[in-house]
Amino acid sequence: QPPEPSLLRFLVCPLSKRPLRYEEATNELINEELGIAYPIIDGIPNMVPEAARRTHRKAPAEGSGRP
Amino acid sequence: RGLAAGPEMHFGFQTVTEEERREKIYQVFENVAKKYDVMNDSMTLGIHRVWKDILMHKMNPCPGTLLLDVAGGTGDIAFRFLNYVRSVRQRQLQRKLKHHQNLSWQEIFDSYQKDQFNSLGDSQVVVCDINREMLKVGKQKAQHLGYSEGLSWVLGNAEELPFDDDKFDVYTIAFGIRNVTRIDLALQEAYRVLKPGGRFLCLEFSHVSNPLLSRLYDLYSFQVIPVLGEVIAGDWRSYQYLVESIRQFPPQEELKAMIEDAGFFKVDYENLNFGIVAIHSGFKL
């Protein structure tokens, strides 16, 4: 389910507070700078660092954000 | 923060690490989500509805207001907000129409067409909660009750909000701040995301100073509520936590000081039911 379009205006990365790009193909919100993607599940963006995945091909072992 | 063996914190009357506390609280709300509304009605004999109505009247939002409702899981504040701005907007439109005495029937008919006069007046509420189950219940309720316009849901942490600076007119947190592990961070984030001139409103259980009432309240809290929890939700422990967490939460003046520390001005509080509940308010100036 895609997110509310109006919501995309407000959302930023919780870590860097920088803008995000909506990727329709994977239904994720991408922070290009940090190389992480937040998933959107059932139309609800999951904006906690624990939920984000790394977008680089060789994903490093360490997690992002708070343990 | 977030160390494996971190500083000691309270989870109700237990002592736990910061990480344990977050997990335990997440579990509590995951367990109670589906029965949350029923339990609220039972425990407070429906009075929580009045408290939330009072909060909304205090906010007195005008159409066009942008509200961030944090820890708003099942949507009680969000729905009230939408109802409120819709009715204010209705009255605005009625006043407008009264001045146009020479309208044709066609024009009058057109004015009742759904979106022509923007029934919410561009008001919007974003509900942010850290718990997926609570948001799920909220979203389902919204569908069931017919709320869709001007409403959106985000899974996020009050201590680390996924919103840009200076964005919202009002920030509310109703019966949520008690469950935040780092209240100071949540208050800082609240300050950050509010527009200059924006208002912070917190509705939360607080401290009863009257000794007789306090004893009755304690009796009710510790003898009745966990039992209700077991009977209605099959979960004694979560409600035991709930009751204990209220006792551990800072009293009115202390919370006021914390809100001031975050940078808010004209911080004040209003006791409801002798301090069983209090509404704290502050402004970003």
Side-chain angles (χ1 to χ4, degrees):
Chain A
Q1 247 195 305
E4 290 277 337
S6 56
L7 189 53
L8 298 178
R9 287 195 288 132
F10 304 120
L11 291 177
V12 297
C13 173
L15 294 169
S16 66
K17 313 299 187 194
R18 306 279 289 141
L20 299 162
R21 179 175 64 79
Y22 173 58
E23 177 57 64
E24 206 175 324
T26 56
N27 205 26
E28 285 175 325
L29 290 161
I30 315 234
N31 180 335
E32 302 279 15
E33 285 175 333
L34 294 181
I36 52 178
Y38 297 92
I40 297 171
I41 304 172
D42 294 330
I44 301 176
N46 197 332
M47 308 303 297
V48 288
E50 295 86 349
R53 69 167 186 89
R54 293 262 171 157
T55 55
H56 301 135
R57 204 159 300 178
K58 291 170 193 164
E62 60 174 294
S64 61
R66 296 167 40 235
Chain B
R1 53 188 167 113
L3 306 168
E8 303 218 305
M9 312 203 85
H10 51 78
F11 173 75
F13 292 157
Q14 293 173 46
T15 303
V16 296
T17 64
E18 192 173 303
E19 193 50 46
E20 283 175 333
R21 187 177 194 269
R22 289 178 202 280
E23 272 176 43
K24 280 167 132 46
I25 290 175
Y26 193 92
Q27 282 300 325
V28 165
F29 285 91
E30 199 173 49
N31 294 341
V32 309
K34 293 204 175 74
K35 292 284 169 74
Y36 187 72
D37 291 338
V38 172
M39 274 307 295
N40 284 344
D41 276 334
S42 317
M43 290 191 300
T44 67
L45 307 172
I47 301 173
H48 75 102
R49 295 165 186 245
V50 178
W51 292 332
K52 288 164 183 167
D53 289 341
I54 293 174
L55 177 68
M56 199 46 54
H57 278 267
K58 197 176 173 92
M59 188 194 303
N60 191 22
C62 55
T65 296
L66 199 43
L67 168 66
L68 175 63
D69 181 33
V70 176
T74 57
D76 279 352
I77 302 299
F79 303 151
R80 278 172 172 75
F81 170 78
L82 292 171
N83 291 341
Y84 198 98
V85 294
R86 187 173 282 126
S87 68
V88 172
R89 182 70 180 151
Q90 279 275 59
R91 270 181 278 134
Q92 275 180 351
L93 294 175
Q94 275 166 12
R95 278 195 299 256
K96 237 174 134 181
L97 285 175
K98 266 212 279 201
H99 291 115
H100 298 118
Q101 294 300 335
N102 295 322
L103 291 175
S104 68
W105 284 114
Q106 182 62 45
E107 286 170 300
I108 295 173
F109 173 80
D110 286 340
S111 78
Y112 281 91
Q113 293 315 296
K114 208 182 174 203
D115 274 343
Q116 189 174 356
F117 277 91
N118 192 345
S119 59
L120 282 181
D122 291 322
S123 315
Q124 260 194 294
V125 51
V126 178
V127 180
C128 181
D129 199 293
I130 200 169
N131 194 294
R132 173 159 297 285
E133 288 306 310
M134 293 290 280
L135 285 170
K136 248 172 85 177
V137 172
K139 224 174 166 214
Q140 280 167 10
K141 258 171 79 178
Q143 255 178 346
H144 186 69
L145 297 169
Y147 294 100
S148 58
E149 204 191 332
L151 173 63
S152 39
W153 310 83
V154 177
L155 196 151
N157 187 340
E159 298 170 11
E160 205 166 24
L161 291 173
F163 305 108
D164 207 356
D165 301 2
D166 306 322
K167 275 273 168 301
F168 295 94
D169 296 306
V170 187
Y171 172 112
T172 49
I173 183 163
F175 301 115
I177 203 165
R178 191 176 85 251
N179 303 305
V180 170
T181 301
R182 290 285 304 274
I183 296 175
D184 56 334
L185 294 181
L187 293 173
Q188 281 171 36
E189 282 290 87
Y191 189 86
R192 183 181 65 78
V193 302
L194 278 170
K195 289 181 193 167
R199 188 176 199 179
F200 169 86
L201 283 166
C202 169
L203 172 67
E204 188 53 84
F205 288 108
S206 199
H207 285 243
V208 177
S209 46
N210 179 306
L212 173 62
L213 255 122
S214 183
R215 285 223 60 206
L216 288 171
Y217 180 42
D218 279 349
L219 224 95
Y220 181 74
S221 298
F222 288 99
Q223 303 302 325
V224 178
I225 288 178
V227 177
L228 279 178
E230 185 57 41
V231 167
I232 297 176
D235 187 352
W236 170 289
R237 217 168 285 142
S238 292
Y239 288 91
Q240 184 70 26
Y241 158 73
L242 226 105
V243 167
E244 289 176 0
S245 68
I246 294 173
R247 297 301 175 295
Q248 295 288 57
F249 187 70
Q252 288 85 332
E253 282 293 325
E254 204 179 309
L255 182 59
K256 178 177 177 219
M258 290 171 80
I259 297 170
E260 284 168 340
D261 284 344
F264 290 99
F265 286 97
K266 294 200 67 63
V267 181
D268 202 7
Y269 61 85
E270 182 187 338
N271 278 336
L272 304 178
N273 293 120
F274 301 101
I276 292 179
V277 157
I279 298 179
H280 281 71
S281 165
F283 290 88
K284 175 173 178 171
L285 297 176

